[in-house]
CSV table of all heavy atoms in Angstrom, one decimal:
chain,number,residue,atom,x,y,z
A,1403,MET,N,-3.0,12.8,-5.6
A,1403,MET,CA,-2.2,11.6,-5.4
A,1403,MET,C,-0.9,11.7,-6.3
A,1403,MET,O,-1.0,12.1,-7.5
A,1403,MET,CB,-3.0,10.4,-5.8
A,1403,MET,CG,-2.2,9.1,-5.5
A,1403,MET,SD,-3.2,7.6,-5.9
A,1403,MET,CE,-4.4,7.7,-4.7
A,1404,ILE,N,0.2,11.4,-5.8
A,1404,ILE,CA,1.4,11.4,-6.5
A,1404,ILE,C,1.8,9.9,-6.8
A,1404,ILE,O,2.0,9.1,-5.8
A,1404,ILE,CB,2.6,12.1,-5.7
A,1404,ILE,CG1,2.2,13.6,-5.6
A,1404,ILE,CG2,3.9,12.0,-6.5
A,1404,ILE,CD1,3.1,14.4,-4.8
A,1405,LEU,N,1.9,9.6,-8.0
A,1405,LEU,CA,2.2,8.2,-8.4
A,1405,LEU,C,3.7,8.1,-8.9
A,1405,LEU,O,4.0,8.7,-9.9
A,1405,LEU,CB,1.3,7.7,-9.5
A,1405,LEU,CG,1.4,6.3,-10.0
A,1405,LEU,CD1,1.2,5.3,-8.9
A,1405,LEU,CD2,0.4,6.1,-11.2
A,1406,GLN,N,4.5,7.4,-8.2
A,1406,GLN,CA,5.9,7.2,-8.6
A,1406,GLN,C,6.3,5.8,-8.8
A,1406,GLN,O,7.4,5.4,-8.5
A,1406,GLN,CB,6.8,7.9,-7.5
A,1406,GLN,CG,6.6,9.3,-7.4
A,1406,GLN,CD,7.5,10.0,-6.3
A,1406,GLN,OE1,7.9,9.3,-5.4
A,1406,GLN,NE2,7.8,11.2,-6.5
A,1407,THR,N,5.4,5.0,-9.2
A,1407,THR,CA,5.7,3.6,-9.4
A,1407,THR,C,4.9,3.1,-10.7
A,1407,THR,O,3.9,3.6,-11.0
A,1407,THR,CB,5.3,2.7,-8.2
A,1407,THR,OG1,5.8,1.4,-8.4
A,1407,THR,CG2,3.8,2.7,-8.0
A,1408,ASN,N,5.5,2.1,-11.3
A,1408,ASN,CA,4.8,1.5,-12.5
A,1408,ASN,C,3.8,0.5,-12.0
A,1408,ASN,O,4.2,-0.6,-11.7
A,1408,ASN,CB,5.9,0.9,-13.4
A,1408,ASN,CG,5.3,0.2,-14.6
A,1408,ASN,OD1,4.1,0.3,-14.9
A,1408,ASN,ND2,6.1,-0.5,-15.4
A,1409,THR,N,2.5,0.8,-12.1
A,1409,THR,CA,1.5,-0.1,-11.5
A,1409,THR,C,1.3,-1.3,-12.4
A,1409,THR,O,0.7,-2.3,-12.0
A,1409,THR,CB,0.2,0.6,-11.3
A,1409,THR,OG1,-0.2,1.3,-12.6
A,1409,THR,CG2,0.3,1.7,-10.3
A,1410,ASN,N,1.8,-1.3,-13.7
A,1410,ASN,CA,1.7,-2.5,-14.6
A,1410,ASN,C,2.4,-3.7,-14.0
A,1410,ASN,O,2.0,-4.8,-14.3
A,1410,ASN,CB,2.3,-2.2,-15.9
A,1410,ASN,CG,1.4,-1.2,-16.7
A,1410,ASN,OD1,0.2,-1.1,-16.5
A,1410,ASN,ND2,2.0,-0.5,-17.7
A,1411,GLN,N,3.3,-3.5,-13.1
A,1411,GLN,CA,4.0,-4.6,-12.5
A,1411,GLN,C,3.1,-5.4,-11.5
A,1411,GLN,O,3.4,-6.6,-11.2
A,1411,GLN,CB,5.3,-4.2,-11.7
A,1411,GLN,CG,5.0,-3.3,-10.5
A,1411,GLN,CD,6.2,-2.7,-9.9
A,1411,GLN,OE1,7.2,-3.4,-9.8
A,1411,GLN,NE2,6.2,-1.4,-9.6
A,1412,TYR,N,2.0,-4.9,-11.2
A,1412,TYR,CA,1.0,-5.6,-10.3
A,1412,TYR,C,-0.1,-6.2,-11.1
A,1412,TYR,O,-0.9,-6.9,-10.5
A,1412,TYR,CB,0.5,-4.6,-9.3
A,1412,TYR,CG,1.5,-4.0,-8.4
A,1412,TYR,CD1,2.0,-2.7,-8.6
A,1412,TYR,CD2,2.2,-4.8,-7.4
A,1412,TYR,CE1,3.0,-2.2,-7.9
A,1412,TYR,CE2,3.2,-4.2,-6.7
A,1412,TYR,CZ,3.6,-3.0,-6.9
A,1412,TYR,OH,4.6,-2.4,-6.1
A,1413,TYR,N,-0.1,-6.0,-12.4
A,1413,TYR,CA,-1.2,-6.6,-13.2
A,1413,TYR,C,-1.2,-8.1,-13.2
A,1413,TYR,O,-0.1,-8.7,-13.4
A,1413,TYR,CB,-1.1,-6.1,-14.7
A,1413,TYR,CG,-2.2,-6.6,-15.6
A,1413,TYR,CD1,-3.4,-6.0,-15.5
A,1413,TYR,CD2,-2.0,-7.7,-16.4
A,1413,TYR,CE1,-4.4,-6.4,-16.3
A,1413,TYR,CE2,-3.0,-8.1,-17.2
A,1413,TYR,CZ,-4.2,-7.5,-17.2
A,1413,TYR,OH,-5.2,-8.0,-18.0
A,1414,GLY,N,-2.3,-8.7,-12.9
A,1414,GLY,CA,-2.4,-10.2,-12.9
A,1414,GLY,C,-2.1,-10.8,-11.5
A,1414,GLY,O,-2.3,-12.0,-11.3
A,1415,LYS,N,-1.6,-10.0,-10.6
A,1415,LYS,CA,-1.3,-10.6,-9.2
A,1415,LYS,C,-2.6,-10.6,-8.5
A,1415,LYS,O,-3.5,-9.9,-8.7
A,1415,LYS,CB,-0.3,-9.7,-8.5
A,1415,LYS,CG,1.1,-9.7,-9.1
A,1415,LYS,CD,2.0,-8.9,-8.2
A,1415,LYS,CE,3.4,-8.9,-8.8
A,1415,LYS,NZ,4.4,-8.2,-8.0
A,1416,LYS,N,-2.7,-11.6,-7.6
A,1416,LYS,CA,-3.9,-11.7,-6.7
A,1416,LYS,C,-3.7,-11.0,-5.4
A,1416,LYS,O,-2.7,-11.2,-4.7
A,1416,LYS,CB,-4.1,-13.2,-6.5
A,1416,LYS,CG,-5.4,-13.5,-5.7
A,1416,LYS,CD,-5.6,-14.9,-5.5
A,1416,LYS,CE,-6.9,-15.2,-4.6
A,1416,LYS,NZ,-7.1,-16.6,-4.3
A,1417,LEU,N,-4.7,-10.2,-5.1
A,1417,LEU,CA,-4.7,-9.5,-3.8
A,1417,LEU,C,-5.1,-10.5,-2.7
A,1417,LEU,O,-6.1,-11.1,-2.8
A,1417,LEU,CB,-5.6,-8.3,-3.9
A,1417,LEU,CG,-5.7,-7.4,-2.6
A,1417,LEU,CD1,-4.4,-6.7,-2.4
A,1417,LEU,CD2,-6.8,-6.4,-2.8
A,1418,THR,N,-4.2,-10.6,-1.7
A,1418,THR,CA,-4.5,-11.6,-0.6
A,1418,THR,C,-5.1,-10.9,0.6
A,1418,THR,O,-6.0,-11.5,1.3
A,1418,THR,CB,-3.3,-12.4,-0.2
A,1418,THR,OG1,-2.3,-11.5,0.2
A,1418,THR,CG2,-2.8,-13.2,-1.4
A,1419,LYS,N,-4.7,-9.7,0.9
A,1419,LYS,CA,-5.2,-9.0,2.1
A,1419,LYS,C,-4.8,-7.6,2.0
A,1419,LYS,O,-3.9,-7.2,1.3
A,1419,LYS,CB,-4.8,-9.6,3.4
A,1419,LYS,CG,-3.3,-9.6,3.7
A,1419,LYS,CD,-3.0,-10.2,5.1
A,1419,LYS,CE,-1.5,-10.2,5.3
A,1419,LYS,NZ,-1.2,-10.8,6.6
A,1420,VAL,N,-5.5,-6.8,2.8
A,1420,VAL,CA,-5.2,-5.3,3.0
A,1420,VAL,C,-5.1,-5.1,4.5
A,1420,VAL,O,-5.9,-5.5,5.3
A,1420,VAL,CB,-6.4,-4.5,2.4
A,1420,VAL,CG1,-6.1,-3.0,2.6
A,1420,VAL,CG2,-6.6,-4.8,0.9
A,1421,THR,N,-4.0,-4.4,4.9
A,1421,THR,CA,-3.8,-4.1,6.3
A,1421,THR,C,-3.4,-2.7,6.5
A,1421,THR,O,-3.1,-1.9,5.6
A,1421,THR,CB,-2.6,-5.0,6.8
A,1421,THR,OG1,-1.4,-4.6,6.2
A,1421,THR,CG2,-2.8,-6.5,6.7
A,1422,ASP,N,-3.4,-2.3,7.8
A,1422,ASP,CA,-2.9,-1.0,8.1
A,1422,ASP,C,-1.4,-1.1,8.5
A,1422,ASP,O,-0.9,-2.2,8.3
A,1422,ASP,CB,-3.7,-0.3,9.2
A,1422,ASP,CG,-3.7,-1.1,10.6
A,1422,ASP,OD1,-2.8,-2.0,10.7
A,1422,ASP,OD2,-4.5,-0.8,11.5
A,1423,LEU,N,-0.8,0.0,8.9
A,1423,LEU,CA,0.6,0.0,9.2
A,1423,LEU,C,1.0,-1.0,10.3
A,1423,LEU,O,2.1,-1.5,10.3
A,1423,LEU,CB,1.0,1.4,9.5
A,1423,LEU,CG,2.5,1.6,9.8
A,1423,LEU,CD1,3.4,1.3,8.6
A,1423,LEU,CD2,2.8,3.1,10.2
A,1424,TYR,N,0.0,-1.3,11.2
A,1424,TYR,CA,0.3,-2.1,12.3
A,1424,TYR,C,0.0,-3.6,12.1
A,1424,TYR,O,0.0,-4.4,13.0
A,1424,TYR,CB,-0.5,-1.6,13.5
A,1424,TYR,CG,-0.2,-0.1,13.7
A,1424,TYR,CD1,-1.1,0.9,13.4
A,1424,TYR,CD2,1.0,0.3,14.2
A,1424,TYR,CE1,-0.9,2.2,13.5
A,1424,TYR,CE2,1.3,1.7,14.4
A,1424,TYR,CZ,0.3,2.6,14.0
A,1424,TYR,OH,0.6,3.9,14.2
A,1425,GLY,N,-0.5,-3.9,10.9
A,1425,GLY,CA,-0.7,-5.3,10.5
A,1425,GLY,C,-2.2,-5.7,10.8
A,1425,GLY,O,-2.5,-6.9,10.6
A,1426,ASN,N,-3.0,-4.8,11.2
A,1426,ASN,CA,-4.4,-5.1,11.4
A,1426,ASN,C,-5.1,-5.3,10.0
A,1426,ASN,O,-5.0,-4.4,9.2
A,1426,ASN,CB,-5.2,-4.0,12.2
A,1426,ASN,CG,-4.5,-3.8,13.5
A,1426,ASN,OD1,-4.3,-4.8,14.2
A,1426,ASN,ND2,-4.3,-2.6,13.9
A,1427,GLU,N,-5.8,-6.4,9.8
A,1427,GLU,CA,-6.4,-6.6,8.5
A,1427,GLU,C,-7.7,-5.8,8.4
A,1427,GLU,O,-8.5,-5.6,9.3
A,1427,GLU,CB,-6.8,-8.1,8.4
A,1427,GLU,CG,-7.1,-8.5,7.0
A,1427,GLU,CD,-7.0,-10.0,6.7
A,1427,GLU,OE1,-6.3,-10.7,7.5
A,1427,GLU,OE2,-7.6,-10.4,5.8
A,1428,LEU,N,-7.8,-5.1,7.2
A,1428,LEU,CA,-8.9,-4.2,6.9
A,1428,LEU,C,-9.9,-4.9,6.0
A,1428,LEU,O,-9.5,-5.5,5.0
A,1428,LEU,CB,-8.4,-3.0,6.3
A,1428,LEU,CG,-7.3,-2.2,7.0
A,1428,LEU,CD1,-6.8,-1.0,6.2
A,1428,LEU,CD2,-7.8,-1.8,8.4
A,1429,SER,N,-11.2,-4.9,6.3
A,1429,SER,CA,-12.1,-5.6,5.5
A,1429,SER,C,-13.3,-4.7,5.0
A,1429,SER,O,-14.1,-5.1,4.2
A,1429,SER,CB,-12.7,-6.8,6.2
A,1429,SER,OG,-13.4,-6.4,7.4
A,1430,ASP,N,-13.3,-3.5,5.5
A,1430,ASP,CA,-14.4,-2.5,5.2
A,1430,ASP,C,-13.7,-1.2,4.9
A,1430,ASP,O,-12.5,-1.0,5.0
A,1430,ASP,CB,-15.3,-2.4,6.4
A,1430,ASP,CG,-16.1,-3.6,6.6
A,1430,ASP,OD1,-16.6,-4.2,5.7
A,1430,ASP,OD2,-16.3,-4.0,7.8
A,1431,LEU,N,-14.6,-0.2,4.5
A,1431,LEU,CA,-14.1,1.1,4.3
A,1431,LEU,C,-13.7,1.7,5.6
A,1431,LEU,O,-14.4,1.8,6.5
A,1431,LEU,CB,-15.2,1.9,3.6
A,1431,LEU,CG,-14.9,3.4,3.3
A,1431,LEU,CD1,-13.8,3.5,2.3
A,1431,LEU,CD2,-16.2,4.1,2.8
A,1432,VAL,N,-12.4,2.2,5.6
A,1432,VAL,CA,-11.9,2.8,6.9
A,1432,VAL,C,-11.1,4.0,6.6
A,1432,VAL,O,-10.7,4.3,5.4
A,1432,VAL,CB,-10.9,1.8,7.6
A,1432,VAL,CG1,-11.6,0.5,8.0
A,1432,VAL,CG2,-9.7,1.4,6.7
A,1433,MET,N,-10.9,4.8,7.6
A,1433,MET,CA,-10.0,6.0,7.5
A,1433,MET,C,-8.7,5.5,8.1
A,1433,MET,O,-8.6,5.1,9.2
A,1433,MET,CB,-10.5,7.2,8.3
A,1433,MET,CG,-11.7,7.8,7.6
A,1433,MET,SD,-12.2,9.3,8.5
A,1433,MET,CE,-11.1,10.5,7.9
A,1434,ALA,N,-7.6,5.7,7.3
A,1434,ALA,CA,-6.3,5.3,7.8
A,1434,ALA,C,-5.3,6.2,7.1
A,1434,ALA,O,-5.5,6.6,6.0
A,1434,ALA,CB,-6.0,3.8,7.5
A,1435,GLU,N,-4.1,6.4,7.8
A,1435,GLU,CA,-3.1,7.2,7.2
A,1435,GLU,C,-2.1,6.3,6.3
A,1435,GLU,O,-1.4,6.8,5.5
A,1435,GLU,CB,-2.2,7.9,8.3
A,1435,GLU,CG,-3.0,8.9,9.0
A,1435,GLU,CD,-2.1,9.7,10.0
A,1435,GLU,OE1,-0.9,9.5,10.0
A,1435,GLU,OE2,-2.7,10.4,10.8
A,1436,TRP,N,-2.2,5.0,6.5
A,1436,TRP,CA,-1.4,4.1,5.8
A,1436,TRP,C,-2.1,2.8,5.5
A,1436,TRP,O,-2.6,2.2,6.4
A,1436,TRP,CB,-0.2,3.8,6.7
A,1436,TRP,CG,1.1,3.3,5.9
A,1436,TRP,CD1,1.2,2.2,5.1
A,1436,TRP,CD2,2.3,3.9,5.9
A,1436,TRP,NE1,2.4,2.1,4.6
A,1436,TRP,CE2,3.2,3.1,5.1
A,1436,TRP,CE3,2.9,5.0,6.5
A,1436,TRP,CZ2,4.5,3.4,4.9
A,1436,TRP,CZ3,4.2,5.3,6.3
A,1436,TRP,CH2,5.0,4.5,5.5
A,1437,ILE,N,-2.2,2.4,4.2
A,1437,ILE,CA,-2.8,1.1,3.8
A,1437,ILE,C,-1.9,0.3,3.0
A,1437,ILE,O,-1.2,0.9,2.1
A,1437,ILE,CB,-4.1,1.4,3.0
A,1437,ILE,CG1,-5.1,2.2,3.9
A,1437,ILE,CG2,-4.7,0.1,2.5
A,1437,ILE,CD1,-6.3,2.7,3.1
A,1438,ILE,N,-1.8,-1.0,3.3
A,1438,ILE,CA,-0.8,-1.9,2.6
A,1438,ILE,C,-1.6,-3.0,1.9
A,1438,ILE,O,-2.4,-3.7,2.6
A,1438,ILE,CB,0.2,-2.5,3.6
A,1438,ILE,CG1,0.9,-1.4,4.4
A,1438,ILE,CG2,1.2,-3.4,2.9
A,1438,ILE,CD1,1.7,-1.8,5.5
A,1439,PHE,N,-1.4,-3.1,0.6
A,1439,PHE,CA,-2.0,-4.2,-0.2
A,1439,PHE,C,-1.0,-5.3,-0.3
A,1439,PHE,O,0.2,-5.1,-0.7
A,1439,PHE,CB,-2.3,-3.6,-1.6
A,1439,PHE,CG,-3.3,-2.5,-1.5
A,1439,PHE,CD1,-2.9,-1.2,-1.5
A,1439,PHE,CD2,-4.7,-2.8,-1.5
A,1439,PHE,CE1,-3.8,-0.2,-1.5
A,1439,PHE,CE2,-5.6,-1.7,-1.5
A,1439,PHE,CZ,-5.2,-0.4,-1.4
A,1440,HIS,N,-1.4,-6.5,0.1
A,1440,HIS,CA,-0.5,-7.7,0.0
A,1440,HIS,C,-0.9,-8.6,-1.1
A,1440,HIS,O,-2.1,-8.9,-1.3
A,1440,HIS,CB,-0.7,-8.5,1.3
A,1440,HIS,CG,-0.3,-7.7,2.6
A,1440,HIS,ND1,0.9,-7.8,3.2
A,1440,HIS,CD2,-1.0,-6.8,3.3
A,1440,HIS,CE1,0.9,-7.0,4.2
A,1440,HIS,NE2,-0.2,-6.4,4.3
A,1441,PHE,N,0.1,-9.0,-1.9
A,1441,PHE,CA,-0.2,-9.8,-3.1
A,1441,PHE,C,0.3,-11.3,-2.9
A,1441,PHE,O,1.1,-11.5,-2.0
A,1441,PHE,CB,0.5,-9.2,-4.3
A,1441,PHE,CG,-0.1,-7.9,-4.7
A,1441,PHE,CD1,0.6,-6.7,-4.3
A,1441,PHE,CD2,-1.3,-7.7,-5.4
A,1441,PHE,CE1,0.1,-5.5,-4.6
A,1441,PHE,CE2,-1.8,-6.5,-5.7
A,1441,PHE,CZ,-1.1,-5.3,-5.3
A,1442,ASP,N,-0.2,-12.2,-3.7
A,1442,ASP,CA,0.1,-13.6,-3.6
A,1442,ASP,C,1.5,-14.0,-3.7
A,1442,ASP,O,2.0,-15.0,-3.2
A,1442,ASP,CB,-0.8,-14.4,-4.5
A,1442,ASP,CG,-0.6,-14.1,-6.0
A,1442,ASP,OD1,0.0,-13.1,-6.3
A,1442,ASP,OD2,-1.2,-14.8,-6.8
A,1443,ASP,N,2.3,-13.2,-4.4
A,1443,ASP,CA,3.8,-13.5,-4.5
A,1443,ASP,C,4.6,-12.9,-3.4
A,1443,ASP,O,5.8,-12.9,-3.4
A,1443,ASP,CB,4.3,-13.0,-5.9
A,1443,ASP,CG,4.3,-11.5,-6.0
A,1443,ASP,OD1,3.7,-10.8,-5.2
A,1443,ASP,OD2,4.9,-11.0,-7.0
A,1444,GLY,N,4.0,-12.3,-2.4
A,1444,GLY,CA,4.7,-11.7,-1.3
A,1444,GLY,C,5.0,-10.2,-1.4
A,1444,GLY,O,5.4,-9.5,-0.5
A,1445,SER,N,4.8,-9.6,-2.6
A,1445,SER,CA,5.0,-8.2,-2.8
A,1445,SER,C,3.9,-7.4,-2.1
A,1445,SER,O,2.8,-7.9,-1.9
A,1445,SER,CB,5.1,-7.9,-4.3
A,1445,SER,OG,3.9,-8.1,-4.9
A,1446,GLN,N,4.2,-6.2,-1.8
A,1446,GLN,CA,3.3,-5.3,-1.2
A,1446,GLN,C,3.3,-3.9,-1.8
A,1446,GLN,O,4.3,-3.5,-2.3
A,1446,GLN,CB,3.7,-5.1,0.3
A,1446,GLN,CG,3.6,-6.4,1.1
A,1446,GLN,CD,4.1,-6.2,2.5
A,1446,GLN,OE1,4.5,-5.2,2.9
A,1446,GLN,NE2,4.1,-7.3,3.3
A,1447,LEU,N,2.2,-3.2,-1.8
A,1447,LEU,CA,2.1,-1.9,-2.3
A,1447,LEU,C,1.4,-1.1,-1.1
A,1447,LEU,O,0.4,-1.5,-0.6
A,1447,LEU,CB,1.2,-1.9,-3.5
A,1447,LEU,CG,0.9,-0.5,-4.2
A,1447,LEU,CD1,2.3,-0.1,-4.8
A,1447,LEU,CD2,-0.1,-0.7,-5.2
A,1448,SER,N,2.0,0.0,-0.8
A,1448,SER,CA,1.5,0.8,0.3
A,1448,SER,C,1.0,2.2,-0.2
A,1448,SER,O,1.6,2.8,-1.1
A,1448,SER,CB,2.5,1.0,1.4
A,1448,SER,OG,3.6,1.7,1.0
A,1449,ILE,N,0.0,2.7,0.4
A,1449,ILE,CA,-0.5,4.1,0.1
A,1449,ILE,C,-0.5,4.8,1.5
A,1449,ILE,O,-1.1,4.3,2.4
A,1449,ILE,CB,-1.9,4.0,-0.5
A,1449,ILE,CG1,-1.9,3.3,-1.8
A,1449,ILE,CG2,-2.5,5.4,-0.6
A,1449,ILE,CD1,-3.3,3.2,-2.4
A,1450,ALA,N,0.1,5.9,1.5
A,1450,ALA,CA,0.2,6.7,2.8
A,1450,ALA,C,0.2,8.2,2.5
A,1450,ALA,O,0.6,8.6,1.4
A,1450,ALA,CB,1.6,6.3,3.4
A,1451,THR,N,-0.3,8.9,3.5
A,1451,THR,CA,-0.3,10.4,3.4
A,1451,THR,C,1.1,10.9,3.8
A,1451,THR,O,1.9,10.2,4.5
A,1451,THR,CB,-1.3,11.0,4.4
A,1451,THR,OG1,-1.1,10.5,5.7
A,1451,THR,CG2,-2.7,10.6,4.0
A,1452,ASP,N,1.5,12.0,3.3
A,1452,ASP,CA,2.8,12.6,3.6
A,1452,ASP,C,2.7,13.3,5.0
A,1452,ASP,O,1.6,13.3,5.6
A,1452,ASP,CB,3.3,13.5,2.5
A,1452,ASP,CG,2.5,14.8,2.5
A,1452,ASP,OD1,1.5,15.0,3.1
A,1452,ASP,OD2,3.0,15.7,1.8
A,1453,TRP,N,3.8,13.9,5.4
A,1453,TRP,CA,3.8,14.5,6.8
A,1453,TRP,C,2.9,15.7,6.9
A,1453,TRP,O,2.5,16.0,8.0
A,1453,TRP,CB,5.2,14.9,7.1
A,1453,TRP,CG,5.8,15.9,6.2
A,1453,TRP,CD1,6.5,15.7,5.0
A,1453,TRP,CD2,5.8,17.3,6.4
A,1453,TRP,NE1,6.9,16.8,4.5
A,1453,TRP,CE2,6.5,17.9,5.3
A,1453,TRP,CE3,5.3,18.2,7.3
A,1453,TRP,CZ2,6.6,19.2,5.1
A,1453,TRP,CZ3,5.4,19.5,7.2
A,1453,TRP,CH2,6.1,20.0,6.1
A,1454,ARG,N,2.5,16.3,5.8
A,1454,ARG,CA,1.6,17.4,5.8
A,1454,ARG,C,0.1,16.9,5.8
A,1454,ARG,O,-0.8,17.7,6.1
A,1454,ARG,CB,1.8,18.3,4.6
A,1454,ARG,CG,3.2,19.0,4.6
A,1454,ARG,CD,3.4,19.6,3.3
A,1454,ARG,NE,3.5,18.5,2.4
A,1454,ARG,CZ,4.1,18.6,1.2
A,1454,ARG,NH1,4.7,19.7,0.8
A,1454,ARG,NH2,4.2,17.5,0.4
A,1455,GLY,N,-0.1,15.7,5.4
A,1455,GLY,CA,-1.4,15.1,5.4
A,1455,GLY,C,-2.2,15.5,4.2
A,1455,GLY,O,-3.4,15.1,4.1
A,1456,GLY,N,-1.6,16.2,3.3
A,1456,GLY,CA,-2.4,16.7,2.1
A,1456,GLY,C,-2.2,15.9,0.9
A,1456,GLY,O,-3.0,16.0,-0.1
A,1457,GLU,N,-1.2,15.1,0.8
A,1457,GLU,CA,-0.9,14.3,-0.4
A,1457,GLU,C,-0.9,12.8,-0.1
A,1457,GLU,O,-0.8,12.4,1.1
A,1457,GLU,CB,0.4,14.7,-1.1
A,1457,GLU,CG,0.5,16.1,-1.5
A,1457,GLU,CD,-0.4,16.4,-2.7
A,1457,GLU,OE1,-0.8,15.5,-3.4
A,1457,GLU,OE2,-0.8,17.6,-2.8
A,1458,CYS,N,-1.1,12.0,-1.1
A,1458,CYS,CA,-1.0,10.5,-0.9
A,1458,CYS,C,0.0,9.9,-1.8
A,1458,CYS,O,0.1,10.3,-2.9
A,1458,CYS,CB,-2.4,9.9,-1.2
A,1458,CYS,SG,-2.5,8.2,-0.9
A,1459,TYR,N,0.9,9.1,-1.2
A,1459,TYR,CA,2.0,8.5,-2.0
A,1459,TYR,C,1.8,7.0,-2.1
A,1459,TYR,O,1.4,6.4,-1.1
A,1459,TYR,CB,3.3,8.8,-1.2
A,1459,TYR,CG,3.7,10.3,-1.3
A,1459,TYR,CD1,3.3,11.1,-0.3
A,1459,TYR,CD2,4.4,10.8,-2.4
A,1459,TYR,CE1,3.6,12.5,-0.3
A,1459,TYR,CE2,4.7,12.2,-2.4
A,1459,TYR,CZ,4.3,13.0,-1.4
A,1459,TYR,OH,4.6,14.3,-1.4
A,1460,ILE,N,2.2,6.5,-3.2
A,1460,ILE,CA,2.2,5.0,-3.4
A,1460,ILE,C,3.6,4.6,-3.5
A,1460,ILE,O,4.4,5.1,-4.2
A,1460,ILE,CB,1.4,4.7,-4.7
A,1460,ILE,CG1,0.0,5.2,-4.7
A,1460,ILE,CG2,1.5,3.2,-5.0
A,1460,ILE,CD1,-0.8,5.0,-5.9
A,1461,SER,N,3.9,3.5,-2.8
A,1461,SER,CA,5.3,3.0,-2.8
A,1461,SER,C,5.3,1.5,-2.7
A,1461,SER,O,4.4,0.9,-2.1
A,1461,SER,CB,6.2,3.6,-1.7
A,1461,SER,OG,5.6,3.2,-0.5
A,1462,GLN,N,6.3,0.8,-3.3
A,1462,GLN,CA,6.4,-0.6,-3.2
A,1462,GLN,C,7.1,-0.9,-1.9
A,1462,GLN,O,8.1,-0.2,-1.5
A,1462,GLN,CB,7.2,-1.1,-4.4
A,1462,GLN,CG,7.3,-2.6,-4.4
A,1462,GLN,CD,7.9,-3.1,-5.7
A,1462,GLN,OE1,8.4,-2.4,-6.5
A,1462,GLN,NE2,7.9,-4.4,-5.9
A,1463,ARG,N,6.7,-2.0,-1.2
A,1463,ARG,CA,7.3,-2.4,0.0
A,1463,ARG,C,8.0,-3.7,-0.2
A,1463,ARG,O,7.5,-4.6,-0.9
A,1463,ARG,CB,6.3,-2.5,1.1
A,1463,ARG,CG,5.7,-1.1,1.5
A,1463,ARG,CD,4.5,-1.3,2.4
A,1463,ARG,NE,4.8,-2.0,3.6
A,1463,ARG,CZ,5.2,-1.4,4.7
A,1463,ARG,NH1,5.3,-0.2,4.8
A,1463,ARG,NH2,5.5,-2.2,5.8
A,1464,THR,N,9.1,-4.0,0.6
A,1464,THR,CA,9.7,-5.3,0.5
A,1464,THR,C,9.1,-6.1,1.7
A,1464,THR,O,8.4,-5.5,2.6
A,1464,THR,CB,11.2,-5.2,0.7
A,1464,THR,OG1,11.5,-4.6,2.0
A,1464,THR,CG2,11.8,-4.4,-0.4
A,1465,LYS,N,9.3,-7.4,1.7
A,1465,LYS,CA,8.8,-8.2,2.8
A,1465,LYS,C,9.4,-7.8,4.2
A,1465,LYS,O,8.8,-8.1,5.2
A,1465,LYS,CB,9.2,-9.7,2.5
A,1465,LYS,CG,8.5,-10.2,1.3
A,1465,LYS,CD,8.9,-11.7,1.1
A,1465,LYS,CE,8.3,-12.2,-0.2
A,1465,LYS,NZ,8.7,-13.5,-0.5
A,1466,GLU,N,10.5,-7.2,4.2
A,1466,GLU,CA,11.2,-6.8,5.4
A,1466,GLU,C,10.6,-5.5,6.0
A,1466,GLU,O,10.8,-5.2,7.2
A,1466,GLU,CB,12.7,-6.6,5.3
A,1466,GLU,CG,13.4,-7.9,4.9
A,1466,GLU,CD,13.3,-8.3,3.5
A,1466,GLU,OE1,13.2,-7.4,2.6
A,1466,GLU,OE2,13.2,-9.5,3.2
A,1467,ASP,N,9.9,-4.6,5.2
A,1467,ASP,CA,9.4,-3.4,5.6
A,1467,ASP,C,8.3,-3.5,6.6
A,1467,ASP,O,7.5,-4.4,6.6
A,1467,ASP,CB,8.9,-2.5,4.4
A,1467,ASP,CG,10.0,-2.0,3.6
A,1467,ASP,OD1,11.2,-2.1,4.0
A,1467,ASP,OD2,9.7,-1.5,2.5
């Protein structure tokens, strides 16, 4: 996993839901290429595989993404 974000910025935020790239809410263990964590302040954190499928990247998302 390649981590390029300061995860301390998410400390204390409440996780409201987890979705896939298409907005489907995830509630169980699933296989997905893209997972988005939604927080109570509207911020989002996504985890996705790269184009080769071998690495996982973490990135912050804006409300417009």
Side-chain angles (χ1 to χ4, degrees):
M1403 181 181 295
I1404 297 176
L1405 179 62
Q1406 296 181 332
T1407 187
N1408 178 8
T1409 56
N1410 289 335
Q1411 63 187 319
Y1412 300 103
Y1413 183 78
K1415 293 184 180 183
K1416 182 178 178 185
L1417 182 64
T1418 57
K1419 65 180 176 178
V1420 179
T1421 64
D1422 63 11
L1423 182 59
Y1424 308 104
N1426 301 312
E1427 196 160 337
L1428 306 175
S1429 61
D1430 293 317
L1431 181 63
V1432 297
M1433 289 185 78
E1435 292 184 13
W1436 203 301
I1437 299 174
I1438 304 168
F1439 299 93
H1440 301 261
F1441 297 99
D1442 58 350
D1443 67 349
S1445 62
Q1446 299 175 357
L1447 181 69
S1448 63
I1449 298 178
T1451 56
D1452 73 348
W1453 62 272
R1454 296 167 293 203
E1457 299 292 335
C1458 185
Y1459 293 91
I1460 298 175
S1461 62
Q1462 185 173 6
R1463 295 171 55 93
T1464 62
K1465 294 179 186 177
E1466 294 79 33
D1467 288 348

